[in-house]
Amino acid sequence: MPAPPTTSIRWVLALRLIEQIRDAPELVDVRVEPGWPGERFVKPEMVWIDDIDGDVTIPLIKAARKIRDDEFTVPLEIRVTNRKDLDATMSRLFEIIAAIEDALADSITLGDGASALPGLIACAITSIRTTAAGLPEGHVGFGEVIVTAHTRLE
């Protein structure tokens, strides 16, 4: 088994998730970015990564090089606009969430094989939240898919 990596793979994992989601055929018209693209680049359907957050545990009492456990979340934010009503907005929001779930469930590049991320112990979708707002311009659907990861670094 190869040695654990020596630096965080948080950003590498985030980019790998975005790559998997961008490749989903159901999301061809959805703007998928590794960060908020800004108001100038807003599209009716968007997915982006928000703050990557988590905890790193380093056992300080041990002599020599320490193994670090990094447990973190990668929140995938979703926004849907330009639908005729609340039902159409929320239906499309859940279609996008399902496409994200399918894209990540089909992924072979996170944990196994030659393209596995070194140091990745576990990675899972652990939470899904949705809400909507009615605005004068129409309804806006918001969703969040939380991906939780655990890595071991040396």
Side-chain angles (χ1 to χ4, degrees), residues 82-103:
N82 289 357
R83 296 291 166 163
K84 66 179 179 157
D85 57 24
L86 178 61
D87 182 52
T89 301
M90 294 306 286
S91 293
R92 181 58 181 149
L93 180 61
F94 279 100
E95 288 171 4
I96 291 172
I97 290 170
I100 290 170
E101 290 175 343
D102 286 344

Side-chain angles (χ1 to χ4, degrees), residues 59-131:
L60 300 177
I61 198 164
K62 178 185 171 207
R65 182 74 180 170
K66 293 10 172 220
I67 301 273
R68 299 164 299 170
D69 277 336
D70 188 7
E71 297 181 38
F72 58 95
T73 59
V74 180
L76 300 167
E77 305 297 334
I78 306 157
R79 185 165 87 172
V80 174
T81 61
N82 289 357
R83 296 291 166 163
K84 66 179 179 157
D85 57 24
L86 178 61
D87 182 52
T89 301
M90 294 306 286
S91 293
R92 181 58 181 149
L93 180 61
F94 279 100
E95 288 171 4
I96 291 172
I97 290 170
I100 290 170
E101 290 175 343
D102 286 344
L104 298 181
D106 290 340
S107 173
I108 59 169
T109 65
L110 294 177
D112 294 323
S115 60
L117 291 176
L120 183 63
I121 295 172
C123 187
I125 293 174
T126 55
S127 178
I128 296 174
R129 300 182 329 165
T130 61
T131 191

Side-chain angles (χ1 to χ4, degrees), residues 18-56:
I18 289 297
E19 180 182 300
Q20 291 296 316
I21 294 165
R22 274 188 185 146
D23 289 345
E26 305 87 355
L27 301 178
V28 68
D29 293 325
V30 177
R31 182 179 189 112
V32 180
E33 297 293 336
W36 171 243
E39 288 297 331
R40 287 184 34 207
F41 302 101
V42 169
K43 286 187 71 174
E45 299 175 352
M46 299 184 351
V47 175
W48 70 93
I49 291 177
D50 201 5
D51 298 336
I52 300 171
D53 188 24
D55 297 310
V56 177

Side-chain angles (χ1 to χ4, degrees), residues 129-152:
R129 300 182 329 165
T130 61
T131 191
L135 303 174
E137 302 83 24
H139 287 90
V140 180
F142 296 99
E144 183 176 62
V145 174
I146 300 291
V147 175
T148 301
H150 179 190
T151 63
R152 184 153 293 144

